[in-house]
Every structure is written in structure tokens, then in C-alpha cells.
Amino acid sequence: MDTLTVSQKMTQAQDFLPINGTDHIEMYVGNAKQAAHFYKTAFGFQSLAYAGPETGVRDVASYVLQQGKIRLVLTTPLSSKNPISEHVYKHGDGVKILALWVDDAYKAFEETTKRGAKVYMDPKTVTDEHGEVRMSGIYTYGETVHLFVERKNYKGLFLPGYKEWKSNYNPKDVGLLYVDHCVGNVGWGRMNSTIKWYEDVMGFVNILTFDDKQINTEYSALMSKVMSNGNGYVKFPINEPAEGKKKSQIEEYLDFYEGEGVQHIAVATHDIITTVRDLKSRGVEFLDAPPNAYYEDMTNRVGKIDEDIAPLQELGILVDCDEEGYLLQIFTKPVEDRPTLFFEIIQRKGAQSFGAGNFKALFESIEREQAKRGNL
Ligand code: FE2
């Protein structure tokens, strides 16, 4: 039995790689112009910056969207010869870069590569009239990358090379504030080496573990371990499929993404009921609500909460707790036709980690969708 709280465990992280938070998330997509429209219309992101032929970039187009502190970059290749085309061909639309905001991108590169990280981008300094940004990058699971971004001497909108994106179409935001965590799916037998990589190369600490005895149904199972940096601003849970009578949903992801990659991005709000109502009215599709018994049993599981249960049940919002408080969560359906990347909306009320009850409820509702797709 663990005797330390999650907050106490975080203090055991190593401090050779200080991280201030998520800098941005970049997705490689088949049509960035249309994807940007979707994330504005459905999720309430705001137009921020653009790079493409009109700004002197010849081979890709990138749209930068912002909401709260969340910056989402949507990039598409402009020809089959660009290597991004291969990424999109193989994986479909998906997350390529989980960029981390650091104070020293050169030192982040040195500290991680000397501990065995595979190089994605050698350290470089890019400049424009607004100052300089220093960047470097390493590979994590699959073809996914951690970019280190140091922007203390930069006053521009996003990065050098990008221009302001002025749009006449500006739907209002839905109250999304920051990236809470990003989850990776890894292949059979790859959990331990991935966890060790985050411990050894990034100095992260394992704050929570769910095994296949906790997260299972009659048919399938998965294992999950949550990795966090020392201040808890960056959390990367990792999932691995586990043996069951039928196919694990993590295996379904691996089959359709054709490899390891980001399963979901969790974004925080201070008012999940209003945010989710808004998202639903804009056409965002969420997983089915759990059975009524989930809500009838809720007070026993999590104790007293500030919210009325009726709207939570109506919207299908899940509630769980850890030793420090509770949290409210809901999960979208995949945001592309392949059953790969989806989003989570989360509101934390004291809890720093996650609860097994919600994890299991999520797993069961994904499995119902998996069965509909004929992939169970
Ligand atoms: Fe999550």
C-alpha cells in the first residue's frame, strides 16, 4: 500500500529538467485549413498565428489556435514529397509534437540526450523582430516528439516564421484553460521501458499505477501508469494493452494509428457543466453516459461534492477522487474517423491524480464504441 500522497511522490522527481508547463501541441493533419475550422467551431479555439506560402513557407501550412493557455498547431504538408505526408498517410491525423516550455532548451537537450534520448532536433536559435526562441527536440514513444521551447527572450505571438492570423470568423471560447495531461498508448510489453525512459531521461516520477486487475471488463483489459514531472504541471499517463478474451481498446488504437502515439489530450476548465453543455451544442460528440447505478452510488464513492448530481448525470460527466480531493471528467469520441485521438475535459477539485472508478467507466464506454465499430 502506498503511504505517500501524489503530491509527496512528485517531490521525488529529479530536477535536472525543469519544465514550466506545456508550450504547445502540434498535430499533423490531412487538411489543416478544415481542421482549424473544426477546432474553432466545435471547441472554441481562437485564431492566433499562421505560417504557409503567404508568409514565405513553401512546403507546409500551419495554423496556430489558442484557448486559455492551450496552443494547438495544425500542420499539413503541401506535397507528397514532404515527410509529413508519410506521417499523415501512415497514422492519419494525430499528435506529432508535445512541446514543453523550459527555461533552457540547450540544457534540456544536453541533459536528456546524455541520458539516452534519441535526437529529433539539435538545439537551434530562431529569431525575428520580436526576439529569439531557442528550441531542441527528442523522440518519445512511436514517432511522437518532445520539443523543448525556451521563449524568455521572445515577445512575438508564437514562434519566428509565424504571422498573426486575422480571421473574420471568431466563435467564442468554451472556457478551456490549460493542458492537464496527455496520454500515450504503447505496444505490448513496452510499458516498463517507457516508464523507465521517463524516469531516467526526463527525471519524471511514477505517481499512480492501475493494473489489469483494476481496469478490465468481461472481455478486455489495460494497464496504465501516470508519469509526472516535479511540479505536476506535466503529466503523461502511459497505457499498454493487457490480455483479455477479446481485443484491448489500446490494441485497437495501435492497429489504427499503426503504431504508438497520443491517445488523448486532457484540457481543464473551471466549470465543466457549462463547458460541456457548450461543446455539445456545438456538435462535439461525447462517449455515452455511464449507467444510472454509477450516479446512484456516487456519493458513497467520492463523498460530498459541490455540484448537483442531476446536470452531471444528464451530461454524462464522471466524478472520482483521490486522497487529496475529487475531479470531474468527460471524454469525447475520437475526433477523426480512425478510432485514435480523442479529448478529455477535466475539472479538478483538489485531486492531483486520477481515480480507478472513472478509468474503468471510461474503459467500459470506449469498449461499447469499439464493439459498434466491429473491432472488439
Ligand atoms: Fe485522461
Side-chain angles (χ1 to χ4, degrees):
M1 194 62 195
D2 284 333
T3 51
L4 298 179
T5 65
V6 163
S7 295
Q8 287 167 332
K9 283 183 194 167
M10 282 175 196
T11 64
Q12 299 177 333
Q14 298 178 68
D15 59 3
F16 60 79
L17 178 61
I19 300 172
N20 302 320
T22 303
D23 189 89
H24 65 271
I25 294 174
E26 182 165 5
M27 292 175 61
Y28 285 173
V29 300
N31 187 332
K33 181 178 277 200
Q34 291 189 4
H37 197 287
F38 171 78
Y39 284 104
K40 287 171 70 171
T41 303
F43 281 86
F45 281 90
Q46 311 291 307
S47 301
L48 181 70
Y50 170 81
E54 299 84 347
T55 68
V57 177
R58 302 309 306 168
D59 53 349
V60 300
S62 294
Y63 296 76
V64 189
L65 303 153
Q66 185 163 30
Q67 185 167 184
K69 293 179 181 168
I70 311 161
R71 280 188 294 240
L72 188 62
V73 184
L74 302 160
T75 293
T76 201
L78 299 180
S79 88
S80 62
K81 292 172 193 68
N82 187 292
I84 296 173
S85 290
E86 272 172 52
H87 197 280
V88 174
Y89 177 72
K90 182 167 185 194
H91 302 297
D93 290 4
V95 173
K96 175 64 179 178
I97 291 172
L98 297 171
L100 303 171
W101 172 29
V102 298
D103 288 331
D104 188 336
Y106 282 58
K107 183 160 185 293
F109 182 85
E110 187 198 318
E111 295 290 345
T112 51
T113 53
K114 85 178 181 199
R115 289 173 169 83
K118 185 179 157 199
V119 176
Y120 170 73
M121 180 198 288
D122 283 319
K124 67 176 185 183
T125 302
V126 283
T127 59
D128 67 7
E129 69 270 30
H130 305 293
E132 66 168 42
V133 174
R134 305 206 306 164
M135 293 194 286
S136 61
I138 59 172
Y139 280 96
T140 174
Y141 47 79
E143 293 193 84
T144 317
V145 164
H146 289 317
L147 206 63
F148 301 119
V149 183
E150 170 192 335
R151 50 171 74 252
K152 60 177 177 280
N153 297 315
Y154 192 66
K155 300 231 171 344
L157 276 174
F158 180 56
L159 293 174
Y162 286 81
K163 296 275 175 357
E164 184 180 7
W165 172 19
K166 287 201 184 98
S167 174
N168 295 324
Y169 176 65
N170 302 297
K172 80 176 199 28
D173 73 65
V174 299
L176 300 178
L177 300 170
Y178 59 87
V179 175
D180 185 274
H181 61 277
C182 293
V183 179
N185 283 343
V186 300
W188 290 95
R190 279 266 300 131
M191 170 69 86
N192 288 344
S193 55
T194 307
I195 295 314
K196 194 165 166 18
W197 186 91
Y198 274 106
E199 287 170 347
D200 294 351
V201 173
M202 303 278 283
F204 281 36
V205 65
N206 175 210
I207 56 167
L208 192 64
T209 296
F210 297 118
D211 65 25
D212 50 344
K213 304 287 176 296
Q214 290 165 291
I215 313 296
N216 63 68
T217 66
E218 187 186 347
Y219 297 118
S220 72
L222 63 78
M223 293 177 282
S224 187
K225 291 191 183 209
V226 181
M227 304 307 292
S228 175
N229 78 324
N231 58 21
Y233 292 170
V234 180
K235 294 191 188 96
F236 295 136
I238 303 294
N239 298 326
E240 182 190 321
E243 290 291 350
K245 283 188 205 154
K246 295 189 178 181
K247 186 188 274 192
S248 168
Q249 61 183 245
I250 307 306
E251 203 179 355
E252 186 199 32
Y253 174 100
L254 295 168
D255 286 352
F256 280 87
Y257 197 69
E258 299 191 22
E260 301 181 346
V262 173
Q263 180 208 38
H264 73 265
I265 300 167
V267 284
T269 168
H270 285 327
D271 181 357
I272 196 166
I273 292 172
T274 304
T275 296
V276 171
R277 256 196 229 296
D278 216 351
L279 289 168
K280 284 195 173 183
S281 75
R282 291 157 175 250
V284 174
E285 296 177 319
F286 290 89
L287 293 176
D288 292 343
N292 289 342
Y294 176 92
Y295 293 97
E296 286 154 15
D297 179 46
M298 203 166 79
T299 314
N300 293 333
R301 278 193 307 114
V302 301
K304 201 173 146 19
I305 61 169
D306 301 334
E307 293 75 13
D308 289 334
I309 293 179
L312 300 176
Q313 183 164 8
E314 172 211 327
L315 296 165
I317 293 166
L318 307 173
V319 187
D320 211 334
C321 60
D322 68 7
E323 61 274 74
E324 293 173 276
Y326 69 98
L327 73 163
L328 306 112
Q329 295 167 288
I330 190 168
F331 301 87
T332 74
K333 291 185 179 177
V335 288
E336 57 289 297
D337 290 294
R338 296 194 198 192
T340 53
L341 177 73
F342 61 89
F343 282 80
E344 168 184 341
I345 314 301
I346 182 168
Q347 182 179 3
R348 291 189 182 276
K349 295 265 188 117
Q352 294 287 311
S353 65
F354 306 96
N358 273 7
F359 206 126
K360 190 161 181 190
L362 164 67
F363 184 61
E364 286 166 351
S365 48
I366 295 182
E367 194 170 277
R368 290 193 288 273
E369 297 292 317
Q370 193 185 347
K372 285 185 209 163
R373 292 189 283 261
N375 293 330
L376 185 60

